[in-house]
Amino acid sequence: ANSMANSMANSRASSIPAEVNGVAVDGSAGVAWLAGGDGSAHGFDLEALKFTGKSTTAASPSKAAGGSLHCVSVAGKAGRLFTGGEGGLVGVWDLRQSLEKPLHRLDTGAARNAAGAAAKATKGPGGGGGGSCWVGSVRTDEDGNWLTVGGGVDGATSSWAAWTGHLSHWHAPSGTVVCASPAPAPIYAFSHHDETLVSVGSEGVVTYWDLHSTGFTARGRAASKVPAGFAALSVEKAALPAEEMDQMDASGDASGDASGDAS
């Protein structure tokens, strides 16, 4: 009986979700966390080459929203896991606990609507509200203090028609948003480079954002022949000389216009 129970436990621990949309490695623990299509994050032991049996299944915000996880990020030093997907909520999890419920649920939809209202008040890009947010990418620092979130919006109202993406920056321990901004198109992935954030998404453009206390400002947009981007890698500073950045700035403005072939 014990042998059968152990066999069943090993079978459950070694099962992989039918769909994996993202991965983040906790180097200190030797565990990879997978963003599953079942709405949960699953731990995979990189030394034993098997699933740990530990997952966020019990109270995943994305699972509760009836959707899949799109992304995960881990802060090994702090023992924190961040998950994002359908429903627009980011789950903040304590890896030192049982993962029965998240420490925080960060509402990117509320942050986006507040940013849009503020932008409208200053005659910037924005509008009323509407639409359902989803999270495409999350990134945290090693200490788990700061979190950047990007994603998109489905079913936006006409006043938001040209702004179907969103970016937000959070203080993770308190679960409070520092700043948020609407984006011209859904964001699937991004990477930090010094004070710049490089993002890609559903348009054939690579966007360079400056982060400041009131939000994100697009300071450069480079046209691409790739119609959509699903991954973003950090770039070396030497690869971005000032004159090249000036050319990128001239290629398009934050309204979404960009020269060149984006096909």
Side-chain angles (χ1 to χ4, degrees), residues 48-138:
L49 298 181
K50 66 179 183 180
F51 282 85
T52 63
K54 192 172 184 179
S55 73
T56 62
T57 302
S60 170
S62 290
K63 190 177 184 69
S68 64
L69 281 188
H70 298 321
C71 50
V72 287
S73 185
V74 64
K77 291 182 179 179
R80 293 289 186 269
L81 176 71
F82 302 87
T83 61
E86 298 298 324
L89 296 176
V90 174
V92 183
W93 307 84
D94 188 345
L95 293 176
R96 296 163 296 192
Q97 297 180 1
S98 62
L99 303 184
E100 292 182 358
K101 63 180 181 179
L103 296 174
H104 303 291
R105 292 182 176 91
L106 312 182
D107 189 344
T108 62
R112 165 189 174 267
N113 289 341
K120 182 181 180 182
T122 59
K123 297 183 179 181
S132 175
C133 281
W134 48 266
V135 177
S137 186
V138 292

